[in-house]
Amino acid sequence: LISFSNGLANLGAAVGEIDTVDVSRGLRTSRYLSTPQPDGTTTVAPIVSFLLAGCGFGGSCLPKDVAALHAEGRRRGLPMAVLDAVLRVNAEQPNEVIRRLEKHFPSLAGVRVAVLGLAFRPDTDDVRESPAIPIVRALEARGARIRAYDPAAAENARKVFGDGLELAESLEKALDDCDAAVLVTRWAEFEALPELIARLNPGLLLVDGRRMLPKERIARYEGIGT
C-alpha cells in the first residue's frame, strides 16, 4: 500500500494540480476505510496510515520481510512481480526529495541543507533502512553542506555516517543559516516548523518528505505528491 500510494502521488505530481493529500483525504471518506460513530464522529481505519505518500518506508521489518519474500519467490522460480515493484518504488522514493530540491537549485554543491529526522519513523532511535540514509548520501554526492537533526537517533546515526555528518543539538540550530530543509521523519516536534521558519529563516525552502505540514503555511514549500 505504501509503494502504491507513492506511485499515485508521483503520477499526480507529474500530471499537475493533483495533490496527494487531497486524494488521501478523499479516500478516507470511503465506507471501507471509515466508520460513522453514534456521536456523529468518524473513526478511520488504522490501515489508512499506509496510504500516506512519503519518501519511503524503512525499519527492521518491512524492508527485510518484503525482500525475504521476494527472494524466496525467485528461489522457487516465481516472478513475484508485485513485491519486485514494491521494492523498486521504495528504493527510488528518496530520490523524489532530491528532485524537488533540484527544482530550486541548479546545483546542490555548497547548498546548505538541514535534514530533519534520521530515524525511520518517529518515537524510535532506530535508523535501520531509514530513507534519511540514501537522502544524506545523495546530498553528499552532490556536494551539499548538510546539517542533520533528530531528537532521538543522533547516536545511532553517528554509527552510520561517522563524524563527517554535522548533527545539530536542536531544531532551531538545524535551521540556522540553511538554504533548504528536508523533512524525513514525522516527529511531532516538527509541527512547529511553519512558525520557526517564518521567524528564523523565512527564505528557506522546505521539502516535506512526509506531507506532514500544511503547504499554505510555508512560503517556499515542496512536497512529495505536489
Side-chain angles (χ1 to χ4, degrees):
L1 285 176
I2 297 172
S3 288
F4 174 74
S5 296
N6 284 336
L8 287 184
N10 296 338
L11 175 61
V15 171
E17 298 184 5
I18 300 175
D19 192 324
T20 187
V21 170
D22 295 332
V23 174
S24 176
R25 190 178 296 118
L27 284 172
R28 292 180 195 183
T29 65
S30 166
R31 64 186 179 87
Y32 299 106
L33 297 173
S34 60
T35 304
Q37 301 299 314
D39 62 0
T41 62
T42 300
T43 299
V44 178
I47 198 172
V48 168
S49 63
F50 288 99
L51 294 171
L52 299 175
C55 53
F57 61 80
S60 61
C61 297
L62 275 179
K64 170 178 63 65
D65 293 346
V66 174
L69 289 170
H70 181 259
E72 181 65 13
R74 292 188 62 183
R75 188 177 73 84
R76 296 179 180 275
L78 299 174
M80 306 300 286
V82 171
L83 295 183
D84 181 61
V86 167
L87 292 170
R88 283 189 288 107
V89 169
N90 197 59
E92 175 63 21
Q93 203 61 14
N95 290 326
E96 289 295 321
V97 170
I98 304 301
R99 279 190 276 272
R100 278 157 177 75
L101 282 170
E102 291 177 332
K103 286 172 60 177
H104 296 261
F105 302 97
S107 169
L108 291 178
V111 174
R112 297 161 297 185
V113 181
V115 176
L116 307 179
L118 297 167
F120 80 92
R121 64 167 175 79
D123 304 317
T124 183
D125 63 356
D126 194 343
V127 301
R128 285 176 290 181
E129 303 291 336
S130 171
I133 297 173
I135 288 171
V136 168
R137 296 300 188 205
L139 290 171
E140 289 175 335
R142 288 162 172 78
R145 295 165 57 190
I146 309 164
R147 181 187 301 138
Y149 170 70
D150 190 287
E155 183 177 343
N156 285 333
R158 181 68 72 203
K159 297 174 184 176
V160 174
F161 297 110
D163 295 329
L165 177 64
E166 180 184 352
L167 294 174
E169 296 178 357
S170 69
L171 181 56
E172 291 194 12
K173 290 183 178 179
L175 297 175
D176 182 46
D177 201 30
C178 277
D179 302 303
V182 174
L183 194 161
V184 181
T185 312
R186 295 180 66 95
W187 285 104
E189 179 181 353
F190 296 164
E191 292 176 1
L193 277 168
E195 291 80 10
L196 282 175
I197 291 172
R199 176 167 57 87
L200 300 173
N201 195 347
L204 177 142
L205 168 70
L206 178 74
V207 178
D208 190 345
R210 294 298 178 188
R211 295 310 308 274
M212 177 180 176
L213 304 172
K215 60 183 180 181
E216 65 274 6
R217 295 182 60 196
I218 299 172
R220 297 183 67 200
Y221 180 95
E222 285 281 346
I224 298 293
T226 57

